[in-house]
C-alpha cells in the first residue's frame, strides 16, 4: 500500500495539486470524521501546478506508470497484467455473442506442465444460470492471430502503414492549425475584454461589473479551449521522425525470427501483441468448427478472418451432411475403408478434433453408424442369421433399435442385455424377444445421464424406478 501511494501521488512527479481527495457523504460513518474520503479524477482537481516540487520522475513517466497500473487491473475494460502462461490472447479476447472477456482454462499433466488451454465465456452461466456462451481451443486462435500479426508487420504491409501514418500526420497538422486559430481568437477576445475592463472608470460600477463578467467568461472559454487542445494532443498519434521510420523498417525484418526464437518468452510475445492489438473478438458459428475472428489494431483499424477449431463429434462439422452422403456413396461403390479415407482426404474433408486425415477404423465405424441410424442397407453380402430363437447380431439389433452399435456394446459390458460371443468368431449374439426389445427401446428413450443420476437398474419396471432410487440413496 505504501508503494501504491507513492506511485499514485502527483508529488512523486513534482506536481503540486489541491483537491485530489473529496468527501463522499454516502460513505461517511457517524462519529468518525476521517471516513468518506474518495479519490476524484485528475480532471476534477482544483489546482494542478507541474514542476513546483522536486521530482523523482518526470510527468510523462508518471502518467505512463498510472496507465500501466490501470491496464494491469483485472476489470472488464482492461486486458490485465501479462502472465507467463502460453495463452497469448489472455485478457484481449472477447466473446462475440455477449461481448464479455473470455477466460482462459488450462489443463495440466501429472508433472504440472501445461497440457493445453482453451478460451471460454461462462459469464451467462455463472451470473444467470444460462448455458455457456461458447468454448473454443486456444491454440488455433493464437496461431491465427500470430499469423495476422506477422503479416501486419511484414515489410510490404509496414510500408503501407507508414504511408497511412503520413496521411494521419498531415490530417493532424491541419487540425492543429485549426486549434491554433481557435486559441488565437480566444486569446484575442480575453485580451480585448481585459483592456475594456481596465479602461473603464471606477465610478461606473455597473459598467465595471459587466466588463468584469465578460472578461471572466472570456478567460473561462480560453481555459476550456486549452484543456480541449491538451486532450487532442494526448489522443492523437505522435509524429514519427525519419530516424524512427528507418528504425522501424530495420526491426520489421527481424520480427518473425524474434517471434519464433527459443529465447522469446510467452510474456514477451504477449507484450508485443498488446503493443499493436487493442482487442480481439471470437464467435463460434453455431456449434460447428467454424469460428469468425475480428482483430482491433492500435489506431482503430479492424480486420476479420475465419478459422477452424477442433470439435468433439463428426456431427458438429458444418459439412457433416455432405460427408455422410459421400461416405455412403463410396461404400455403395464397394470401396474398402482405406480407399474411402483416401478419397475423403483428397476431396478436402477432415475429421474432428486434431486429426488431419481419416483412419480406416473411423470410416468403418462411421459407415456402421450411418447404416444403423438411417436404415439404408449396404452393398455387402448379408450375414446369416445367428443361431437360436430370438437372437440378433449386435449390429442388426442396433439397426432394429435405431441406435449406434457402440451403445449396444456398452449395454453388453454393463450386463443390461443377455449376450454371448460366438465361438471361433467372437461375434456378439444377443437374445431379445419382442418384450425384451420393447424394454431396450424404453431404455433408449431415457435422457443421457439418467442412469448415473437416478442409480436406476434396467431390470426394474417403470413404476418402481423412483422407489428404487430413493432406497438406493438411503
Amino acid at each position: 500500500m505504501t508503494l501504491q501511494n507513492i506511485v499514485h501521488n502527483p508529488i512523486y512527479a513534482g506536481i503540486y495539486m489541491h483537491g485530489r481527495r473529496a468527501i463522499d457523504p454516502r460513505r461517511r460513518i457517524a462519529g468518525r470524521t476521517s471516513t468518506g474520503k474518495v479519490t476524484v479524477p485528475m480532471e476534477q482537481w482544483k489546482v494542478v501546478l507541474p514542476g513546483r516540487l522536486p521530482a523523482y520522475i518526470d510527468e510523462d513517466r508518471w502518467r505512463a506508470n498510472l496507465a500501466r497500473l490501470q491496464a494491469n487491473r483485472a476489470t472488464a475494460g482492461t486486458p490485465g497484467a501479462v502472465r507467463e502462461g502460453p495463452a497469448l490472447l489472455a485478457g484481449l479476447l472477447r466473446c462475440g455473442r455477449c461481448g464479455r472477456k473470455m477466460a482462459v482454462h488450462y489443463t495440466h499433466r501429472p508433472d504440472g506442465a501445461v497440457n493445453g488451454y482453451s478460451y471460454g465465456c461462462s459469464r451467462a452461466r455463472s451470473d444467470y444460470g444460462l448455458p455457456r456462451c461458447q468454448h473454443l481451443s486456444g491454440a488455433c486462435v493464437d496461431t491465427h492471430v500470430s499469423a495476422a500479426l506477422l503479416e501486419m508487420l511484414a515489410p510490404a504491409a509496414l510500408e503501407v502503414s507508414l504511408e497511412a501514418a503520413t496521411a494521419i500526420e498531415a490530417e493532424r497538422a491541419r487540425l492543429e492549425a485549426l486549434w491554433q486559430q481557435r486559441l488565437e481568437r480566444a486569446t484575442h477576445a480575453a485580451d480585448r475584454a481585459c483592456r475594456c475592463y481596465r479602461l473603464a472608470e471606477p465610478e461606473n460600477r455597473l459598467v465595471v461589473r459587466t466588463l468584469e463578467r465578460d472578461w471572466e467568461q472570456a478567460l473561462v472559454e480560453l481555459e476550456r479551449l486549452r484543456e480541449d487542445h491538451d486532450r487532442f494532443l494526448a489522443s492523437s498519434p505522435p509524429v514519427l521522425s525519419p530516424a524512427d521510420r528507418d528504425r522501424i523498417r530495420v526491426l520489421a525484418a527481424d520480427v518473425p525470427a524474434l517471434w519464433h526464437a527459443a529465447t522469446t518468452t510467452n510474456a514477451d510475445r504477449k507484450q508485443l501483441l498488446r503493443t499493436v492489438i487493442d482487442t480481439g473478438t471470437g464467435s463460434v458459428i453455431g456449434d460447428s468448427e467454424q469460428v469468425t475472428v475480428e482483430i482491433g489494431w492500435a489506431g482503430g483499424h479492424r480486420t476479420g478472418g475465419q478459422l477452424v477449431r477442433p470439435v468433439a463429434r463428426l456431427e458438429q462439422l458444418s459439412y457433416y451432411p455432405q460427408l455422410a452422403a459421400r461416405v455412403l456413396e463410396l461404400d455403395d461403390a464397394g470401396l474398402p475403408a482405406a480407399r474411402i479415407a483416401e478419397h475423403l482426404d483428397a476431396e478436402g474433408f477432415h475429421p474432428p478434433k486434431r486429426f488431419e486425415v481419416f483412419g480406416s477404423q473411423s470410416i468403418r465405424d462411421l459407415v456402421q453408424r450411418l447404416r444403423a441410424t438411417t436404415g439404408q442397407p449396404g452393398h455387402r453380402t448379408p450375414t446369416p442369421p445367428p443361431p437360436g430363437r430370438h437372437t440378433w447380431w449386435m449390429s442388426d439389433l442396433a439397426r432394429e433399435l435405431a441406435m449406434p452399435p457402440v451403445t449396444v456394446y456398452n449395454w453388453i459390458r454393463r450386463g443390461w442385455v443377455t449376450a454371448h460371443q460366438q465361438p471361433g468368431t467372437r461375434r456378439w449374439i444377443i437374445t431379445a424377444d419382442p418384450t425384451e426389445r420393447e424394454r431396450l427401446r424404453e431404455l433408449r428413450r431415457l435422457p443421457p445421464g439418467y442412469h448415473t443420476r437416478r442409480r436406476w437398474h434396467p431390470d426394474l419396471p417403470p413404476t418402481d424406478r423412483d422407489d428404487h432410487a430413493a432406497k438406493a440413496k438411503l
Side-chain angles (χ1 to χ4, degrees), residues 52-251:
R52 297 300 180 93
L53 300 171
Y56 292 92
I57 58 176
D58 55 22
E59 183 179 354
D60 295 336
R61 179 64 180 275
W62 176 69
R63 293 179 182 272
N65 290 342
L66 294 183
R68 171 61 63 85
L69 290 174
Q70 178 64 26
N72 287 346
R73 297 180 60 188
T75 58
T78 58
V82 174
R83 307 295 182 183
E84 295 294 335
L88 300 181
L89 296 178
L92 295 178
L93 188 63
R94 294 187 172 276
C95 178
R97 298 181 180 179
C98 66
R100 302 292 186 89
K101 187 188 301 184
M102 299 188 72
V104 183
H105 304 275
Y106 289 103
T107 58
H108 298 82
R109 295 197 296 263
D111 57 356
V114 176
N115 187 31
Y117 61 95
S118 59
Y119 297 104
C121 180
S122 304
R123 179 62 62 181
R125 183 172 64 178
S126 59
D127 290 351
Y128 308 107
L130 299 176
R132 184 171 56 185
C133 282
Q134 56 184 354
H135 184 270
L136 63 154
S137 174
C140 61
V141 183
D142 288 352
T143 302
H144 175 82
V145 175
S146 301
L149 171 67
L150 297 179
E151 182 181 358
M152 186 65 69
L153 296 180
L158 189 61
E159 289 296 333
V160 176
S161 300
L162 291 177
E163 293 178 2
T166 303
I168 293 175
E169 292 172 5
E171 178 66 16
R172 175 181 176 176
R174 187 184 68 83
L175 294 177
E176 177 65 20
L178 295 177
W179 274 107
Q180 293 299 330
Q181 293 175 4
R182 295 179 62 185
L183 289 172
E184 184 179 354
R185 288 194 298 267
T187 304
H188 177 72
D191 292 341
R192 184 174 181 275
C194 178
R195 291 195 305 270
C196 293
Y197 173 76
R198 291 178 178 178
L199 291 175
E201 294 293 337
E203 292 80 6
N204 300 327
R205 297 181 178 178
L206 181 60
V207 176
V208 170
R209 284 197 297 268
T210 303
L211 294 176
E212 183 182 7
R213 185 171 57 254
D214 296 341
W215 183 22
E216 184 177 358
Q217 291 178 356
L219 291 176
V220 170
E221 179 65 21
L222 176 60
E223 184 64 23
R224 186 186 65 81
L225 285 177
R226 287 175 178 173
E227 293 177 357
D228 293 343
H229 182 237
D230 292 340
R231 283 192 290 269
F232 165 74
L233 294 178
S235 61
S236 57
V239 178
L240 296 177
S241 63
D244 293 336
R245 294 174 181 271
D246 295 338
R247 194 179 301 111
I248 290 175
R249 291 188 181 95
V250 173
L251 293 177

Side-chain angles (χ1 to χ4, degrees), residues 416 439 442-444 446 450-466 468-469 472:
W416 293 0
R439 185 186 70 87
E442 184 180 355
L443 178 63
R444 174 63 177 167
L446 293 175
Y450 183 87
H451 318 301
T452 51
R453 291 196 308 267
R454 304 300 300 274
R455 304 183 65 177
W456 172 75
H457 193 276
D459 294 335
L460 292 175
T463 56
D464 297 337
R465 291 176 189 169
D466 295 337
H468 177 74

Side-chain angles (χ1 to χ4, degrees), residues 400-463:
E400 173 70 16
L401 301 177
M403 58 188 297
V406 65
T407 304
V408 181
Y409 179 71
N410 289 333
W411 290 359
I412 294 175
R413 292 179 55 193
R414 297 181 181 184
W416 293 0
V417 294
T418 303
H420 66 277
Q421 287 183 307
Q422 186 183 36
T425 62
R426 300 186 64 83
R427 296 181 61 186
W428 285 101
I429 300 176
I430 303 175
T431 303
D433 56 7
T435 304
E436 177 68 9
R437 293 198 300 272
E438 183 61 29
R439 185 186 70 87
L440 296 178
R441 288 192 182 94
E442 184 180 355
L443 178 63
R444 174 63 177 167
R445 285 192 291 266
L446 293 175
Y450 183 87
H451 318 301
T452 51
R453 291 196 308 267
R454 304 300 300 274
R455 304 183 65 177
W456 172 75
H457 193 276
D459 294 335
L460 292 175
T463 56

Side-chain angles (χ1 to χ4, degrees), residues 1-9 20-21 39 69:
M1 182 56 67
T2 302
L3 294 177
Q4 288 277 351
N5 292 334
I6 292 175
V7 174
H8 281 85
N9 201 308
R20 180 167 172 258
R21 290 185 176 276
T39 302
L69 290 174

